[in-house]
Amino acid sequence: MSFDLIVKNATLPDGRSGVDIACSRGKIDAVEAGIVAEAEKVIDADGLLVSPPFVDSHFHMDATLSLGRPRMNVSGTLLEGIALWGELKPVQTIDEIIERALRYCDLAVSQGLLAIRSHVDVSDVDLKGVEALLQVREKVADYIDLQLVAFPQDGVFRAEGAGKNLLRALDMGVDVVGGIPHFERTMAEGAQSVTWLCEVAAKRGLRVDMHCDESDDPQSRHIETLAFETQRLGLGGRVAGSHLTSMHSMDNYFVSKLIPLMAEAGVQAIANPLINIMLQGRHDTYPKRRGQTRVRELRDAGIDVAFGADCVMDPWYSLGAADMLDVASMGLHVGQLSSRYDMRWCYDTVTSIPAKILGLEGYGIEKGCNADLVLLQATDPIEAIRMRPNRLAVIRRGKIISETPAHIANLSLAGRPDSLNPASYGQIVG
Ligand code: FE2
């Protein structure tokens, strides 16, 4: 038996170690110890972590790398960011959006980030972002799964024609229905927008991913309507609420009803730790609220929770490097997810959980899955979050598409607790 690729002596995110991964024709044929066979290419992982690719479930690729265009965000607030984006939209070109997006995709590949759900603004009649990102989706298809969300940044009811533009974007091939209920004119209009958008998705058989309650206002409760509509329309497992930051300030009694409702409905949650720790709580003096939804409580209720990058060098956020471990680390810190089990779970929030939310097929390291792998210079997921290690090899459909040399300083792993012992993770599923 001969394979295209064998990765030898890998440690997997679930704690399995000493594993060989044999691949051919773009798929994984076997995951077991001691595979003896010919292969065109053999990679010795030497006990290091071999992971399925990172997945970003929430990004804005139409705005990325535009930092400083046409000016900087002085206040640092979400609302000035939206206003600044409104200044950039009319002056940027389709070619410019494509060029920036492709640069970002190159960076993403080098970080082992091979699936991205990107929102694309559909507020304006020209749909420049949609045209650009549809082309980008095509261009990067061999190395990145790019899923697009029709996102009415200025409000699907509030911005004139935004509803029609959103439907046009879906007709053009955008994959997912977006929304921004907290930015509509009133709470009532926000709730109506959730209903309308969910009905559009149900009619077309599409997924939903709404910016929902990205606010410090505890009265912003559109997630309740989103859960209700998800259940009413039978969309469970296909609807995500993104951000959900107002939940951090809600009354505990209300939340004690809300979270079970979300779980019943099968709504998924996407937090964006880097951006929300930066943007939320800007009107507070002290104590200042953390800008993150109730990650632990949502997870413990059985709800799928992922961490997204949201922004990299754009009107809302000046930093970022397409490194989902950076995102996981911030989510871990802000959520005080410090036990071995919790830290290990944070790795799942940027790999297997967002893969499920995006509905990616063939994701994972099992026989029959796509041969998409990332070899990291770390021995386990917790060390990966701690070190943000080099991605020594990034493999897509059995072929190496990016390599980064080992970093000598990173080789000193002395003093790490028994992180190679799966038992120390607690009870991990998946
Ligand atoms: Fe966002």
Side-chain angles (χ1 to χ4, degrees), residues 338-355:
S338 56
S339 73
R340 306 299 290 172
Y341 170 82
D342 287 338
M343 289 194 287
R344 167 65 190 76
W345 175 79
C346 285
Y347 194 86
D348 295 342
T349 68
V350 293
T351 51
S352 56
I353 300 171

Side-chain angles (χ1 to χ4, degrees), residues 139-185:
K139 282 179 199 285
V140 303
D142 285 345
Y143 54 102
I144 290 180
D145 294 307
L146 178 58
Q147 193 176 81
L148 300 176
V149 185
F151 173 49
Q153 171 77 75
D154 300 330
V156 75
F157 291 160
R158 184 173 174 181
E160 205 189 324
K164 276 190 190 148
N165 298 336
L166 180 136
L167 295 175
R168 279 173 50 224
L170 297 176
D171 289 342
M172 288 163 72
V174 169
D175 309 281
V176 178
V177 178
I180 187 164
H182 57 278
F183 199 72
E184 305 292 350
R185 280 167 287 215

Side-chain angles (χ1 to χ4, degrees), residues 250-258:
M250 283 177 186
D251 171 72
N252 285 337
Y253 187 86
F254 177 71
V255 172
S256 75
K257 181 196 164 204
L258 175 64

